[in-house]
Amino acid sequence: MKCRGKSGGVCLLFLIMGIFVGALLPIQTALNAQMRGFLKSPFLASLCSFTVGTIFLAIMVLVSGDSLFLTAQQVASLPLWAYLGGLLGMLGLTANILLFPVLGSVQTVIMPILGQLLMSLLIDQFGWFHAKVHSFSTFRALGMIALILGVLLVVFFPQYFRQEKQMKYVTKEKPKHQFQFLWQLIGLGAGMLMSSQVAINGYLGRQINSSIHAAFISFFVGTVLVCVAVCFEKSWSNISKVRFSEIPLWIWLAGILGASYVFCNAFLAPKIGTGAIVTLALVGQILSSITIDQFGLLRAIQKKIKAIQLLGLAILFIGVLFIEIF
């Protein structure tokens, strides 16, 4: 683990933390999906998630003894792009909502992941957003190849073969979207925005000496933007029809999980680099997704793990070793 000036125990802790961060995302996604069912709107579900996360982070900032507002000196010293973490997160979220009906579930997962890996390499190589430089090497190249192969084995091939089997019982195949290649590029772009958000929040946290405060600023900006989207889309008219008393309390945890994800990224980015966070979070995300599917957790449809997915997981871990250790 490339933690400069850190002991082996601390580096191991960062590695575990990075994987844990990624594991939060599928859980948050499952909770948001159920929230969407109650609210009848993906934008309202996102607004609820962002609002809960913002309140949670605001409380954490106040408990830490810090002020919710930046000082005039901090505002003057920060570039405008340092506040864009929430905007990039909002754009990435919206892109995934738009991509799903066009590209399907598999490509909606694969394309952003590829975008994340590509952007994390560029950020580490050139030190964009004032990130620490981690030069590209043969081992990192082999590690990235292993990661992409592992993702394909875990996510793409099982669903591809499932879709092929289902097509045998379908008499007429739906035509592909005429701008599918453009949507694939949008998927790549969404992933690149998400990696940029990690680097930007890490820089913001380092400049104001508070990762939790940086996460709050990012979430607050995201909440305002989602609120604007809700007003523009007019889904706010559904609020009067929602029976909030019927929504289980544990579903509201989605916002806290999202806030924890942003905070951990802001905390880890200056210490281990954007590429490491994206890599470790990817492993955690896949491990968590497979566990949820295997046992049908969080009311998900139960899907047994296949041998090809176990092989993919092994290759994923080999990729992490090549990137983070050698």
Side-chain angles (χ1 to χ4, degrees), residues 24-101:
L24 295 179
L25 282 180
I27 302 174
Q28 182 199 20
T29 301
L31 295 180
N32 278 336
Q34 295 186 48
M35 178 67 79
R36 176 181 178 176
F38 283 103
L39 301 181
K40 311 300 181 184
S41 167
F43 290 99
L44 275 180
S46 296
L47 179 59
C48 287
S49 183
F50 267 95
T51 302
V52 171
T54 300
I55 294 173
F56 170 74
L57 289 171
I59 294 173
M60 295 300 293
V61 170
L62 294 175
V63 168
S64 68
D66 204 351
S67 171
L68 292 178
F69 305 100
L70 297 177
T71 65
Q73 183 179 0
Q74 287 174 324
V75 172
S77 64
L78 290 170
L80 289 178
W81 56 261
Y83 304 99
L84 295 180
L87 171 62
L88 300 185
M90 167 61 180
L91 292 176
L93 174 67
T94 303
N96 281 339
I97 294 174
L98 297 175
L99 287 172
F100 188 83

Coordinates of all heavy atoms in Angstrom, one line a residue, residues 24-101:
L24 N -20.3 0.3 0.9 CA -21.5 1.1 1.3 C -22.4 1.4 0.1 O -23.6 1.5 0.3 CB -21.1 2.4 2.0 CG -20.3 2.3 3.3 CD1 -20.0 3.7 3.8 CD2 -21.1 1.6 4.3
L25 N -21.8 1.5 -1.1 CA -22.6 2.0 -2.2 C -23.7 1.1 -2.6 O -24.8 1.6 -2.9 CB -21.6 2.2 -3.4 CG -20.8 3.5 -3.4 CD1 -19.9 3.6 -4.6 CD2 -21.7 4.7 -3.3
P26 N -23.5 -0.2 -2.8 CA -24.6 -1.1 -3.2 C -25.8 -1.1 -2.1 O -26.9 -1.2 -2.5 CB -24.0 -2.5 -3.3 CG -22.6 -2.2 -3.6 CD -22.2 -1.0 -2.8
I27 N -25.4 -1.0 -0.8 CA -26.4 -0.9 0.2 C -27.2 0.4 0.1 O -28.4 0.4 0.1 CB -25.7 -1.0 1.6 CG1 -24.9 -2.3 1.7 CG2 -26.8 -0.9 2.7 CD1 -24.1 -2.3 3.0
Q28 N -26.5 1.5 -0.2 CA -27.2 2.8 -0.4 C -28.1 2.7 -1.6 O -29.2 3.2 -1.5 CB -26.2 3.9 -0.5 CG -26.8 5.3 -0.7 CD -25.9 6.3 -1.3 OE1 -24.9 5.9 -2.0 NE2 -26.2 7.6 -1.1
T29 N -27.6 2.1 -2.7 CA -28.4 2.0 -3.9 C -29.7 1.2 -3.6 O -30.8 1.5 -4.1 CB -27.6 1.3 -5.0 OG1 -26.4 2.1 -5.3 CG2 -28.4 1.1 -6.3
A30 N -29.6 0.1 -2.9 CA -30.7 -0.8 -2.6 C -31.7 0.0 -1.7 O -33.0 -0.1 -2.0 CB -30.3 -2.0 -1.9
L31 N -31.3 0.8 -0.8 CA -32.2 1.5 0.1 C -32.8 2.7 -0.7 O -34.0 2.9 -0.6 CB -31.4 2.1 1.3 CG -30.8 1.1 2.3 CD1 -30.1 1.8 3.4 CD2 -31.9 0.2 2.8
N32 N -32.0 3.3 -1.6 CA -32.6 4.4 -2.4 C -33.7 3.8 -3.4 O -34.7 4.5 -3.7 CB -31.5 5.1 -3.2 CG -30.8 6.2 -2.4 OD1 -31.4 6.7 -1.4 ND2 -29.6 6.5 -2.7
A33 N -33.4 2.6 -3.9 CA -34.4 2.0 -4.8 C -35.7 1.8 -4.1 O -36.8 2.0 -4.7 CB -33.9 0.7 -5.3
Q34 N -35.7 1.4 -2.8 CA -36.9 1.1 -2.0 C -37.6 2.5 -1.7 O -38.8 2.6 -1.7 CB -36.6 0.3 -0.8 CG -36.1 -1.1 -1.1 CD -36.0 -1.9 0.1 OE1 -36.9 -2.0 1.0 NE2 -34.8 -2.6 0.2
M35 N -36.7 3.5 -1.4 CA -37.3 4.8 -1.2 C -38.0 5.3 -2.4 O -39.0 6.0 -2.3 CB -36.1 5.8 -0.8 CG -36.6 7.2 -0.5 SD -37.6 7.4 0.9 CE -36.4 7.3 2.2
R36 N -37.4 5.1 -3.6 CA -38.0 5.5 -4.8 C -39.4 4.9 -5.0 O -40.3 5.5 -5.5 CB -37.1 5.1 -6.0 CG -37.7 5.4 -7.4 CD -36.8 5.0 -8.5 NE -37.4 5.2 -9.8 CZ -36.8 5.0 -10.9 NH1 -35.5 4.5 -10.9 NH2 -37.4 5.3 -12.1
G37 N -39.5 3.6 -4.5 CA -40.8 3.0 -4.6 C -41.9 3.6 -3.8 O -43.1 3.7 -4.2
F38 N -41.5 4.1 -2.6 CA -42.5 4.8 -1.8 C -42.8 6.2 -2.3 O -43.9 6.7 -2.2 CB -41.9 4.9 -0.3 CG -42.0 3.7 0.5 CD1 -40.8 2.9 0.6 CD2 -43.2 3.2 1.0 CE1 -40.9 1.7 1.4 CE2 -43.2 2.1 1.7 CZ -42.1 1.3 1.9
L39 N -41.8 6.9 -2.8 CA -42.0 8.3 -3.3 C -42.4 8.4 -4.7 O -42.8 9.5 -5.1 CB -40.7 9.1 -3.0 CG -40.2 9.1 -1.6 CD1 -38.9 9.9 -1.5 CD2 -41.2 9.7 -0.7
K40 N -42.3 7.3 -5.5 CA -42.7 7.3 -6.9 C -41.9 8.3 -7.8 O -42.4 8.8 -8.8 CB -44.2 7.7 -7.0 CG -45.2 6.9 -6.1 CD -45.1 5.4 -6.4 CE -46.1 4.7 -5.4 NZ -45.9 3.2 -5.6
S41 N -40.7 8.6 -7.3 CA -39.9 9.5 -8.1 C -38.4 9.3 -7.7 O -38.1 9.4 -6.5 CB -40.3 11.0 -7.8 OG -39.3 11.9 -8.3
P42 N -37.5 9.1 -8.7 CA -36.1 8.9 -8.4 C -35.5 10.2 -7.9 O -34.6 10.2 -7.0 CB -35.5 8.5 -9.7 CG -36.4 9.0 -10.8 CD -37.8 8.9 -10.2
F43 N -36.0 11.4 -8.3 CA -35.4 12.6 -7.9 C -35.8 13.0 -6.5 O -35.0 13.5 -5.7 CB -35.9 13.8 -8.8 CG -35.3 13.7 -10.2 CD1 -36.0 13.2 -11.3 CD2 -34.0 14.2 -10.4 CE1 -35.4 13.1 -12.5 CE2 -33.4 14.1 -11.7 CZ -34.1 13.6 -12.7
L44 N -37.1 12.6 -6.1 CA -37.5 12.8 -4.7 C -36.7 11.9 -3.8 O -36.3 12.3 -2.7 CB -39.0 12.5 -4.6 CG -39.9 13.7 -4.9 CD1 -41.4 13.2 -4.7 CD2 -39.6 14.9 -4.0
A45 N -36.4 10.7 -4.2 CA -35.7 9.7 -3.4 C -34.2 10.3 -3.2 O -33.7 10.2 -2.1 CB -35.6 8.4 -4.1
S46 N -33.7 10.8 -4.3 CA -32.3 11.4 -4.2 C -32.3 12.6 -3.2 O -31.4 12.8 -2.5 CB -31.8 11.8 -5.6 OG -31.7 10.7 -6.4
L47 N -33.4 13.4 -3.3 CA -33.5 14.6 -2.5 C -33.5 14.2 -1.0 O -32.9 14.8 -0.1 CB -34.7 15.4 -2.8 CG -34.9 16.7 -2.0 CD1 -33.7 17.6 -2.1 CD2 -36.2 17.4 -2.4
C48 N -34.3 13.2 -0.7 CA -34.4 12.7 0.7 C -33.1 12.2 1.2 O -32.6 12.4 2.3 CB -35.5 11.6 0.8 SG -37.2 12.2 0.7
S49 N -32.4 11.4 0.3 CA -31.1 10.9 0.6 C -30.1 12.0 0.9 O -29.3 12.0 1.9 CB -30.6 9.9 -0.5 OG -29.4 9.3 -0.1
F50 N -30.0 12.9 0.0 CA -29.1 14.0 0.1 C -29.4 14.9 1.4 O -28.5 15.3 2.1 CB -29.1 15.0 -1.1 CG -28.1 14.6 -2.1 CD1 -28.4 13.8 -3.2 CD2 -26.8 15.1 -2.1 CE1 -27.5 13.4 -4.2 CE2 -25.9 14.7 -3.1 CZ -26.2 13.9 -4.1
T51 N -30.7 15.1 1.6 CA -31.0 15.9 2.8 C -30.6 15.3 4.1 O -30.1 15.9 5.0 CB -32.6 16.2 2.8 OG1 -32.9 16.8 1.6 CG2 -33.0 17.1 4.0
V52 N -30.9 14.0 4.2 CA -30.5 13.2 5.4 C -29.0 13.2 5.6 O -28.5 13.5 6.7 CB -31.1 11.8 5.4 CG1 -30.5 10.9 6.5 CG2 -32.6 11.8 5.5
G53 N -28.3 13.0 4.5 CA -26.8 13.0 4.6 C -26.3 14.4 5.0 O -25.3 14.5 5.8
T54 N -26.9 15.5 4.5 CA -26.4 16.8 4.8 C -26.7 17.1 6.3 O -25.8 17.7 7.0 CB -27.2 17.8 3.9 OG1 -26.9 17.6 2.6 CG2 -26.7 19.3 4.3
I55 N -27.8 16.7 6.8 CA -28.1 17.0 8.2 C -27.2 16.2 9.1 O -26.6 16.7 10.1 CB -29.6 16.6 8.5 CG1 -30.6 17.5 7.8 CG2 -29.9 16.6 10.0 CD1 -32.0 17.1 7.9
F56 N -26.9 14.9 8.7 CA -26.0 14.1 9.5 C -24.6 14.7 9.5 O -23.9 14.8 10.6 CB -25.9 12.7 8.8 CG -24.8 11.8 9.4 CD1 -24.9 11.2 10.6 CD2 -23.7 11.5 8.6 CE1 -23.9 10.4 11.1 CE2 -22.7 10.7 9.1 CZ -22.8 10.1 10.3
L57 N -24.1 15.1 8.3 CA -22.8 15.8 8.3 C -22.7 17.1 9.0 O -21.7 17.4 9.6 CB -22.4 16.0 6.8 CG -22.0 14.7 6.1 CD1 -21.8 15.0 4.6 CD2 -20.8 14.0 6.6
A58 N -23.8 17.9 9.0 CA -23.9 19.1 9.7 C -23.7 18.9 11.2 O -23.0 19.6 11.9 CB -25.2 19.8 9.4
I59 N -24.4 17.8 11.7 CA -24.3 17.5 13.1 C -22.8 17.1 13.5 O -22.3 17.5 14.5 CB -25.3 16.4 13.5 CG1 -26.7 16.9 13.3 CG2 -25.0 15.8 14.9 CD1 -27.8 15.8 13.5
M60 N -22.2 16.3 12.6 CA -20.9 15.8 12.8 C -19.9 17.0 12.8 O -18.9 17.1 13.7 CB -20.5 14.8 11.8 CG -21.2 13.5 11.8 SD -21.1 12.6 13.3 CE -19.3 12.2 13.3
V61 N -20.1 18.0 12.0 CA -19.2 19.2 11.9 C -19.4 20.0 13.2 O -18.4 20.4 13.8 CB -19.6 20.1 10.7 CG1 -18.9 21.4 10.8 CG2 -19.2 19.4 9.4
L62 N -20.6 20.2 13.7 CA -20.8 20.9 14.9 C -20.3 20.2 16.1 O -19.7 20.8 17.0 CB -22.3 21.2 15.1 CG -23.0 22.1 14.0 CD1 -24.5 22.2 14.2 CD2 -22.3 23.5 14.1
V63 N -20.4 18.9 16.1 CA -19.9 18.1 17.3 C -18.4 18.2 17.3 O -17.8 18.2 18.4 CB -20.3 16.6 17.1 CG1 -19.6 15.7 18.1 CG2 -21.8 16.5 17.4
S64 N -17.7 18.2 16.1 CA -16.3 18.4 16.1 C -15.8 19.7 16.5 O -14.6 20.0 16.7 CB -15.8 18.1 14.7 OG -16.2 19.1 13.8
G65 N -16.7 20.7 16.8 CA -16.3 22.0 17.3 C -16.1 23.0 16.2 O -15.7 24.1 16.4
D66 N -16.3 22.6 14.9 CA -16.1 23.5 13.8 C -17.4 24.2 13.4 O -18.5 23.9 13.9 CB -15.6 22.7 12.6 CG -14.8 23.5 11.6 OD1 -14.8 24.7 11.8 OD2 -14.2 22.9 10.7
S67 N -17.2 25.3 12.6 CA -18.4 26.1 12.2 C -18.8 25.5 10.8 O -18.0 25.0 10.0 CB -18.0 27.5 12.0 OG -19.0 28.3 11.4
L68 N -20.2 25.6 10.6 CA -20.7 25.1 9.3 C -20.2 26.0 8.1 O -20.2 25.6 7.0 CB -22.2 25.1 9.3 CG -22.9 24.0 10.2 CD1 -24.4 24.2 10.2 CD2 -22.4 22.6 9.9
F69 N -19.9 27.3 8.4 CA -19.5 28.2 7.4 C -18.0 28.4 7.3 O -17.3 28.4 8.4 CB -20.2 29.6 7.7 CG -21.7 29.5 7.8 CD1 -22.3 29.4 9.0 CD2 -22.5 29.4 6.7 CE1 -23.7 29.3 9.2 CE2 -23.9 29.3 6.8 CZ -24.5 29.2 8.0
L70 N -17.5 28.6 6.1 CA -16.1 28.8 6.0 C -15.8 30.3 6.3 O -16.6 31.2 6.2 CB -15.7 28.6 4.5 CG -15.8 27.2 4.0 CD1 -15.5 27.1 2.5 CD2 -15.0 26.2 4.7
T71 N -14.6 30.5 6.8 CA -14.1 31.9 7.1 C -13.9 32.6 5.8 O -13.7 32.0 4.7 CB -12.9 31.9 7.9 OG1 -11.8 31.3 7.2 CG2 -13.1 31.0 9.2
A72 N -13.9 33.9 5.9 CA -13.6 34.8 4.7 C -12.2 34.4 4.1 O -12.0 34.4 2.9 CB -13.7 36.3 5.1
Q73 N -11.3 34.2 5.0 CA -9.9 33.8 4.5 C -9.9 32.5 3.7 O -9.3 32.4 2.7 CB -9.0 33.7 5.7 CG -7.5 33.5 5.3 CD -6.6 33.4 6.5 OE1 -7.0 33.6 7.6 NE2 -5.3 33.2 6.3
Q74 N -10.7 31.5 4.2 CA -10.8 30.2 3.5 C -11.4 30.4 2.2 O -11.0 29.8 1.2 CB -11.5 29.2 4.4 CG -10.8 28.7 5.6 CD -11.6 27.8 6.5 OE1 -12.8 28.1 6.7 NE2 -11.0 26.8 7.1
V75 N -12.5 31.1 2.1 CA -13.2 31.3 0.9 C -12.3 32.0 -0.1 O -12.3 31.6 -1.3 CB -14.5 32.2 1.1 CG1 -15.1 32.5 -0.3 CG2 -15.5 31.4 2.0
A76 N -11.5 33.0 0.3 CA -10.6 33.7 -0.6 C -9.5 32.9 -1.1 O -9.0 33.1 -2.3 CB -10.1 35.0 0.1
S77 N -9.1 31.9 -0.3 CA -7.9 31.1 -0.7 C -8.3 29.9 -1.6 O -7.4 29.3 -2.2 CB -7.2 30.6 0.6 OG -8.0 29.7 1.3
L78 N -9.5 29.5 -1.6 CA -10.0 28.3 -2.4 C -10.4 28.7 -3.8 O -11.1 29.7 -4.0 CB -11.1 27.7 -1.7 CG -10.8 27.0 -0.3 CD1 -12.1 26.6 0.3 CD2 -9.9 25.8 -0.6
P79 N -9.9 27.9 -4.8 CA -10.4 28.1 -6.2 C -11.8 27.7 -6.3 O -12.3 26.9 -5.5 CB -9.5 27.2 -7.0 CG -9.0 26.1 -6.0 CD -8.9 26.8 -4.7
L80 N -12.5 28.2 -7.3 CA -13.9 27.9 -7.5 C -14.2 26.4 -7.7 O -15.2 25.9 -7.2 CB -14.5 28.7 -8.7 CG -14.6 30.2 -8.5 CD1 -15.1 30.9 -9.7 CD2 -15.6 30.5 -7.3
W81 N -13.3 25.7 -8.4 CA -13.5 24.3 -8.6 C -13.5 23.4 -7.4 O -14.0 22.3 -7.4 CB -12.5 23.8 -9.7 CG -11.0 23.9 -9.3 CD1 -10.2 24.9 -9.8 CD2 -10.3 23.1 -8.4 NE1 -8.9 24.7 -9.2 CE2 -9.0 23.6 -8.4 CE3 -10.5 21.9 -7.7 CZ2 -7.9 23.0 -7.7 CZ3 -9.5 21.3 -7.0 CH2 -8.2 21.9 -7.0
A82 N -13.0 24.0 -6.3 CA -13.0 23.2 -5.0 C -14.4 23.0 -4.5 O -14.6 22.1 -3.6 CB -12.1 24.0 -4.0
Y83 N -15.3 23.7 -4.9 CA -16.7 23.6 -4.5 C -17.6 22.7 -5.4 O -18.8 22.5 -5.2 CB -17.4 24.9 -4.4 CG -16.7 25.9 -3.5 CD1 -15.9 26.9 -4.0 CD2 -16.8 25.9 -2.1 CE1 -15.2 27.8 -3.2 CE2 -16.2 26.8 -1.3 CZ -15.3 27.8 -1.9 OH -14.7 28.7 -1.1
L84 N -16.9 22.1 -6.4 CA -17.7 21.4 -7.5 C -17.9 20.0 -7.1 O -18.5 19.3 -7.9 CB -16.9 21.5 -8.8 CG -16.8 22.9 -9.4 CD1 -16.1 22.9 -10.7 CD2 -18.2 23.5 -9.6
G85 N -17.5 19.5 -6.0 CA -17.6 18.0 -5.7 C -19.1 17.6 -5.7 O -19.5 16.6 -6.2
G86 N -20.0 18.5 -5.0 CA -21.4 18.2 -5.0 C -22.0 18.2 -6.4 O -22.9 17.4 -6.7
L87 N -21.6 19.1 -7.2 CA -22.1 19.2 -8.6 C -21.8 18.0 -9.4 O -22.6 17.4 -10.1 CB -21.6 20.5 -9.3 CG -21.9 20.6 -10.8 CD1 -23.4 20.7 -11.0 CD2 -21.1 21.8 -11.4
L88 N -20.5 17.5 -9.3 CA -20.1 16.3 -10.0 C -20.8 15.1 -9.5 O -21.2 14.2 -10.3 CB -18.6 16.1 -9.9 CG -17.7 17.3 -10.4 CD1 -16.2 16.9 -10.3 CD2 -18.1 17.7 -11.8
G89 N -21.0 15.0 -8.2 CA -21.8 13.9 -7.7 C -23.2 13.9 -8.2 O -23.8 12.8 -8.5
M90 N -23.8 15.0 -8.3 CA -25.2 15.2 -8.8 C -25.3 14.8 -10.2 O -26.2 14.1 -10.7 CB -25.6 16.6 -8.6 CG -26.9 17.0 -9.3 SD -28.3 16.0 -8.8 CE -29.6 16.7 -9.9
L91 N -24.3 15.2 -11.0 CA -24.3 14.9 -12.5 C -24.1 13.4 -12.7 O -24.7 12.8 -13.6 CB -23.2 15.7 -13.2 CG -23.4 17.2 -13.3 CD1 -22.2 17.9 -13.9 CD2 -24.7 17.5 -14.1
G92 N -23.2 12.8 -11.9 CA -23.0 11.4 -12.0 C -24.2 10.6 -11.7 O -24.6 9.6 -12.3
L93 N -24.9 11.0 -10.6 CA -26.2 10.3 -10.2 C -27.2 10.5 -11.3 O -27.9 9.5 -11.6 CB -26.7 10.9 -8.9 CG -28.0 10.5 -8.4 CD1 -27.9 9.0 -8.0 CD2 -28.5 11.3 -7.2
T94 N -27.4 11.7 -11.8 CA -28.4 11.9 -12.9 C -28.1 11.1 -14.1 O -29.0 10.5 -14.8 CB -28.5 13.4 -13.2 OG1 -28.7 14.1 -12.0 CG2 -29.6 13.7 -14.2
A95 N -26.8 11.0 -14.5 CA -26.4 10.3 -15.7 C -26.8 8.8 -15.5 O -27.3 8.2 -16.5 CB -24.9 10.4 -15.9
N96 N -26.6 8.2 -14.3 CA -26.9 6.8 -14.1 C -28.5 6.6 -14.3 O -28.9 5.6 -14.8 CB -26.5 6.3 -12.8 CG -25.0 6.0 -12.8 OD1 -24.4 5.8 -13.8 ND2 -24.4 6.0 -11.6
I97 N -29.2 7.6 -13.8 CA -30.7 7.5 -13.9 C -31.1 7.5 -15.4 O -32.0 6.7 -15.8 CB -31.4 8.6 -13.2 CG1 -31.1 8.5 -11.7 CG2 -32.9 8.6 -13.5 CD1 -31.7 9.7 -10.9
L98 N -30.4 8.3 -16.2 CA -30.8 8.4 -17.6 C -30.2 7.2 -18.4 O -30.8 6.9 -19.4 CB -30.2 9.7 -18.2 CG -30.8 11.0 -17.5 CD1 -30.0 12.2 -18.1 CD2 -32.3 11.1 -17.8
L99 N -29.1 6.7 -18.0 CA -28.5 5.6 -18.8 C -29.2 4.3 -18.7 O -29.2 3.6 -19.7 CB -27.0 5.4 -18.3 CG -26.0 6.5 -18.6 CD1 -24.7 6.2 -17.9 CD2 -25.7 6.5 -20.1
F100 N -29.8 4.0 -17.6 CA -30.4 2.7 -17.4 C -31.4 2.2 -18.4 O -31.2 1.1 -19.0 CB -31.0 2.6 -16.0 CG -31.4 1.2 -15.6 CD1 -30.5 0.3 -15.0 CD2 -32.7 0.8 -15.8 CE1 -30.9 -1.0 -14.7 CE2 -33.1 -0.5 -15.4 CZ -32.2 -1.4 -14.9
P101 N -32.4 3.1 -18.8 CA -33.3 2.6 -19.8 C -32.8 2.5 -21.2 O -33.4 1.8 -22.0 CB -34.4 3.7 -19.7 CG -33.8 4.9 -19.2 CD -32.7 4.4 -18.2

